[in-house]
């Protein structure tokens, strides 16, 4: 059983001592993420739909901001609940943390939960993983078994820990130096890649690369995560993870539908009916909501109003489920995400998921960008990785020219092949959709001309 008095800390990566300032350490986490280049690049990374021009839909940055808003609500409400429910067991420091700071931790974690995701959504992740799968005979002998598992299972969640916490060439130790509490809250899959098991929630994917293993062990130790295995390392989820995951699940389940409506992919009637049915199943004042809808003539505004009501309903339901399952969460034994538990008993949420898969995620425009993104990311890796793993004496002129395109903070000249390859992945996965496409067109000779 995890001790609520010991699962949070203001200790940061990079061995920085906590500072006394008008902002708490957890508020400083939020601010550091906002001002980081990794977060800024999310503004031009696909959420679901390709950036469509005149119709404004969500990108990774606007998605992350909205998830953070929902996460702050979840964290604040649950912090108050934990403060009251366990007040006799909590230290004064813990009481203050849950009452005043848990919302900030969850908000900060939600804000950075996607910073490890490459351009073009999940197809970018697939492209990186499949690059190594398709070149296994040439590449696998250069890596250990665990290193190879990292590469062929490339995962945005693990990459987020690397982006946020690792020291790049020429930069400060500890990445952007977040607290271990915030970093623990984004670790949905706290295990090594070799321990992946799709049938087990906390091992469905993996949470850290071998290169960041020591950093992750420090995060796990300082936040008292339960150790399930030491070889390979597997931990139970930290209790804060469930709130970050719920905030993300609430937003993408609902807001992808609203985006699809704005693009004309989903009809007003379908979207309105699905949202209204979900609100109706959770509201005691449905007549007032109906009256409000009748007073709004603009269809987009009607959907926005219902979307807000749906999100509020799902926040309240997630809080109730967290309260009911807190015992299992602290034991590390809860086996289903909070929203999945609710979905199992709510047919409308099931219908929204089925509708989204059929009408949105398999829509032609989405599939086209996934195919294009896959090819762009694959070809970029293929341009750089064969050159970076050659010994300097064996590099031809074209290898040297290719490597001149990689910024120096991503070039680990004295590193192992694994570290050199991770540097290339850092460069490619950090690209925005537009930058990746532009570089692809240039190195392929599709666009030729000088740009500064």
């Amino acid at each position: 059983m995890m001790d609520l008095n010991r699962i949070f800390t203001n200790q940061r990566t990079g061995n920085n001592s906590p500072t006394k300032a008008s902002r708490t350490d957890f508020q400083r986490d939020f601010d550091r993420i906002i001002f980081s280049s990794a977060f800024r690049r999310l503004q031009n990374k696909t959420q679901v739909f390709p950036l469509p021009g005149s119709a404004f839909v969500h990108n990774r940055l606007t998605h992350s901001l909205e998830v953070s808003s929902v996460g702050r609500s979840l964290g604040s409400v649950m912090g108050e609940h934990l403060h009251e429910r366990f007040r006799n067991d909590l230290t004064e420091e813990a009481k203050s943390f849950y009452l005043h700071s848990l919302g900030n931790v969850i908000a900060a974690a939600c804000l950075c939960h996607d910073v490890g995701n490459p351009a073009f959504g999940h197809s970018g992740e697939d492209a990186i993983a499949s690059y190594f799968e398709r070149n296994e005979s040439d590449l696998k002998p250069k890596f250990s078994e665990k290193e190879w598992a990292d590469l062929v299972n490339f995962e945005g969640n693990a990459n987020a820990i690397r982006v946020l916490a690792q020291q790049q060439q020429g930069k400060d130790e500890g990445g952007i130096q977040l607290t271990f509490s915030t970093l623990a809250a984004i670790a949905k899959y706290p295990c090594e890649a070799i321990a992946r098991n799709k049938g087990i929630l906390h091992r469905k994917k993996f949470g850290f690369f071998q290169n960041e293993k020591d950093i992750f062990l420090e995060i796990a130790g300082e936040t008292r995560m339960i150790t399930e295995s030491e070889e390979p390392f597997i931990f139970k989820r930290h209790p804060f993870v469930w709130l970050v995951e719920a905030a993300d699940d609430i937003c993408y389940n609902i807001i992808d539908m609203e985006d699809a409506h704005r693009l004309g992919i989903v009809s007003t009637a379908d979207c309105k009916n699905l949202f209204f049915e979900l609100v109706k199943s959770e509201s005691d004042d449905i007549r007032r909501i109906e009256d409000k809808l009748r007073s709004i003539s603009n269809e987009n505004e009607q959907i926005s109003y219902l979307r807000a009501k749906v999100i509020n309903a799902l926040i309240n339901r997630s809080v109730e489920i967290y309260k009911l399952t807190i015992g299992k969460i602290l034991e590390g034994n809860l086996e289903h995400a909070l929203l999945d538990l609710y979905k199992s008993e709510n047919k409308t949420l099931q219908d929204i998921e089925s509708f989204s898969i059929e009408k949105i995620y398999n829509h032609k425009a989405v599939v086209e960008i996934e195919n294009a993104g896959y090819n762009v990311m694959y070809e970029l890796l293929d341009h750089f990785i064969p050159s970076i793993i050659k010994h300097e004496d064996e590099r031809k002129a074209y290898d040297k020219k290719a490597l001149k395109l990689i910024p120096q903070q991503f070039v680990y000249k004295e590193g192992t092949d694994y570290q050199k390859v991770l540097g290339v992945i850092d460069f490619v996965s950090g690209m925005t959709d537009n930058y990746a496409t532009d570089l692809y067109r240039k190195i392929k000779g599709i666009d030729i001309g000088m740009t500064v």
Side-chain angles (χ1 to χ4, degrees), residues 238-388:
H238 190 280
F240 301 165
V241 167
W242 302 91
L243 297 174
V244 175
E245 180 179 55
D248 187 26
D249 288 349
I250 288 169
C251 286
Y252 85 75
N253 268 279
I254 302 309
I255 291 171
D256 289 351
M257 181 78 75
E258 184 182 19
D259 279 350
H261 172 260
R262 283 187 177 271
L263 291 172
I265 293 170
V266 174
S267 71
T268 299
D270 284 338
C271 191
K272 194 172 172 180
N273 289 340
L274 285 166
F275 281 3
F276 186 78
E277 284 301 313
L278 202 151
V279 172
K280 191 165 69 172
S281 68
E282 292 295 318
S283 176
D284 296 327
D285 194 13
I286 199 65
R287 182 167 293 178
R288 184 179 63 83
I289 293 172
E290 288 176 320
D291 290 343
K292 179 71 172 179
L293 276 175
R294 278 192 289 269
S295 73
I296 303 171
S297 58
N298 183 282
E299 291 182 345
N300 285 338
E301 284 301 304
Q302 287 181 337
I303 299 303
S304 294
Y305 172 72
L306 284 173
R307 177 258 300 148
K309 289 296 181 183
V310 168
I311 287 177
N312 183 64
L314 293 178
I315 289 173
N316 292 336
R317 181 58 65 176
S318 297
V319 164
E320 291 305 313
I321 295 171
Y322 195 90
K323 290 177 182 178
L324 290 171
T325 57
I326 188 64
K328 285 186 175 182
I329 286 170
L330 293 176
E331 292 169 355
N333 292 330
L334 188 60
E335 297 178 352
H336 301 282
L338 301 183
L339 215 64
D340 285 345
L341 289 170
Y342 178 51
K343 194 181 296 179
S344 67
E345 63 185 42
N346 187 288
K347 186 177 183 305
T348 304
L349 200 54
Q350 295 171 25
D351 291 341
I352 288 174
E353 181 180 55
S354 300
F355 191 90
S356 297
I357 291 169
E358 179 186 353
K359 301 291 186 180
I360 301 174
Y361 305 134
N362 285 309
H363 187 271
K364 182 182 178 184
V366 176
V367 175
E368 283 175 347
I369 198 67
E370 288 177 344
N371 276 272
Y374 178 94
N375 288 320
V376 167
M377 300 296 280
Y378 185 96
E379 293 295 333
L380 289 175
L381 291 177
D382 199 41
H383 190 71
F384 296 119
I385 286 179
S387 298
I388 200 76

Side-chain angles (χ1 to χ4, degrees), residues 196-213:
R196 286 170 72 254
N197 185 325
K198 288 188 175 182
I200 302 173
L201 181 62
H202 67 290
R203 293 167 58 189
K204 182 179 176 183
K205 300 177 182 177
F206 72 104
F208 55 92
F209 295 117
Q210 290 302 301
N211 200 70
E212 284 67 58
K213 183 174 179 176

Side-chain angles (χ1 to χ4, degrees), residues 32-52:
R32 287 184 178 199
I33 296 161
I34 285 283
F35 284 94
S36 68
S37 57
F39 180 74
R40 202 158 53 245
R41 286 194 295 267
L42 294 178
Q43 69 182 311
N44 198 353
K45 288 191 176 185
T46 297
Q47 174 63 17
V48 173
F49 300 103
L51 305 178

Side-chain angles (χ1 to χ4, degrees), residues 88-103:
N88 294 333
D89 302 317
L90 297 177
T91 63
E92 290 305 311
E93 181 187 16
K95 287 177 184 177
S96 177
F97 171 80
Y98 290 111
L99 198 56
H100 304 297
S101 294
L102 181 58

